[in-house]
Amino acid sequence: TESFAPEGISGIITGSSLLFFGFIGFDEVCCLAAKSHNPRRTMPLAIAGTLGGSAVLSMLAQLALSGMTPFDDDMGAVSFEDSFKDHDWPVARGITAVGEVLLLPLVVLVCFLPQPELFAAMSEDQLIPPIFHKKDSSGTFVWGCIVSGAAMTAFSLCVPFVVLWDMISLGVLLGFNLTNTSLIMLRYGNGGGEAQPLVTRWVVALWLFGATGAYTLWLGFAAPALDGNEWSAPLLAVGLVCLAVALLSLVFISTHGRLVAEVEDPVTTFRAPFVPFLPGVAIIINFALMAQFTFIDHVYLIGLIVLITACYIGFKLAAKGRAGRDREGGGPSGDIQSPLTPHHAY
């Protein structure tokens, strides 16, 4: 109706995809799993509590803002400060302004919190220089903290927040897909010294056909149909076929792949249920949510990924060159010995 959900189901789904910035703390809990003493018990509780709390608080905030802000076809972004001002509530407006100033540094801290741990793990895998997994006397990854803080500060100074918001939400969805993919790969024998090439091929098929089907089905059929516009029958057919192949790839993974053996101490291990179907369907749904974002948002994110990948490749080539020179000169082989203790939760 004109007063309730004026943009229809399409507007609701688009708004949902833009809110993934608010769930950024959810993945931070997973990043810090290695610090948990009993991950089998604490990780499900931590994830459920974080996800549930974020969802409830976000829904209540959006409900309150929607309820006190009349809809206008020409309206842009509306904040709580604007709404309180329109209702002549100066005290509430002032409290909101102060709260935003105090909250934004906390959001930055939450984003920053797991980065040194991630850099240390990447350094252990020789993706970035070994200095990132060196600790000080208190066990802190000092250089990881310094580089993370400096990079985030510079990025926030140079990039408008509206661009960061959409790019972070898009990146969070992509990160969730990478996490779900890692879960499938690890549970079906692609981890450590083990390899299942056929499972890898089916996972690639899941990504290719899942992404193609989700984007095509949304952009060619769902979005225009929900808006009352003409939709494309060929694109609908292509989307359905691609999604069918993606779901079929999950079936092949489940029947062909070999589940990894239980670890020696199952008490400390949390195993996600319904693998590969639950994470596989989540991957397809995430791709559908990613289709809500604009083309330029995808360009920004792809550019960032290309830049970071170039840094990885540059470091690996430089390390390989140094190792070759050391071998020719009879020096050290260049292998990196990590002080980290590996933690696996699957």
Side-chain angles (χ1 to χ4, degrees), residues 258-269:
R258 179 178 63 84
L259 278 169
V260 296
E262 294 282 351
V263 294
E264 296 181 0
D265 188 7
V267 177
T268 61
T269 304

Side-chain angles (χ1 to χ4, degrees), residues 13 209-226 230-244 247 284-285 287-289 291-292:
I13 297 176
F209 288 98
T212 303
Y215 273 76
T216 303
L217 196 62
W218 174 257
L219 297 176
F221 169 71
L226 292 173
E230 184 178 356
W231 47 271
S232 171
L235 290 180
L236 172 62
V238 171
L240 291 176
V241 170
C242 289
L243 290 183
L247 294 176
I284 296 174
I285 294 175
F287 277 129
L289 292 174
Q292 320 293 317

Side-chain angles (χ1 to χ4, degrees), residues 53-113:
S54 299
V56 170
L57 293 176
S58 178
M59 287 189 294
L60 291 175
Q62 298 302 321
L63 179 62
L65 186 59
S66 301
M68 66 179 180
T69 305
F71 176 75
D72 188 339
D73 290 333
D74 298 326
M75 70 188 303
V78 178
S79 66
F80 278 98
E81 291 183 64
D82 297 331
S83 296
F84 288 142
K85 180 181 178 181
D86 294 337
H87 285 76
D88 196 20
W89 294 346
V91 176
R93 182 188 181 195
I95 294 174
T96 303
V98 173
E100 289 179 351
V101 172
L102 296 177
L103 182 61
L104 285 177
L106 179 60
V107 173
V108 174
L109 178 62
V110 171
C111 298
F112 170 78
L113 185 62

Side-chain angles (χ1 to χ4, degrees), residues 177 180 184 206 246-247 250 274-285:
N177 277 0
N180 287 321
I184 295 173
L206 170 63
L247 294 176
L250 293 176
F274 309 117
V275 178
F277 298 103
L278 185 60
V281 172
I283 288 173
I284 296 174
I285 294 175

Side-chain angles (χ1 to χ4, degrees), residues 184-319:
I184 295 173
M185 296 284 279
L186 183 61
R187 287 283 291 272
Y188 281 86
N190 279 316
E194 300 180 353
Q196 292 285 342
L198 192 56
V199 173
T200 303
R201 296 190 186 100
W202 282 117
V203 170
V204 172
L206 170 63
W207 268 67
L208 291 177
F209 288 98
T212 303
Y215 273 76
T216 303
L217 196 62
W218 174 257
L219 297 176
F221 169 71
L226 292 173
D227 290 337
N229 300 322
E230 184 178 356
W231 47 271
S232 171
L235 290 180
L236 172 62
V238 171
L240 291 176
V241 170
C242 289
L243 290 183
V245 175
L247 294 176
L248 187 63
S249 68
L250 293 176
V251 175
F252 278 103
I253 291 172
S254 65
T255 57
H256 179 84
R258 179 178 63 84
L259 278 169
V260 296
E262 294 282 351
V263 294
E264 296 181 0
D265 188 7
V267 177
T268 61
T269 304
F270 169 70
R271 294 178 67 86
F274 309 117
V275 178
F277 298 103
L278 185 60
V281 172
I283 288 173
I284 296 174
I285 294 175
N286 287 339
F287 277 129
L289 292 174
M290 291 170 67
Q292 320 293 317
F293 293 88
T294 64
F295 174 77
I296 194 64
D297 291 329
H298 287 76
V299 171
Y300 287 145
L301 183 61
I302 292 173
L304 181 61
I305 293 174
V306 170
L307 176 62
I308 294 174
T309 303
C311 293
Y312 292 160
I313 295 175
F315 169 73
K316 292 295 291 183
L317 292 176

Side-chain angles (χ1 to χ4, degrees), residues 313-332:
I313 295 175
F315 169 73
K316 292 295 291 183
L317 292 176
K320 184 177 180 179
R322 288 194 300 269
R325 290 191 296 270
D326 288 339
R327 284 193 295 269
E328 291 175 0

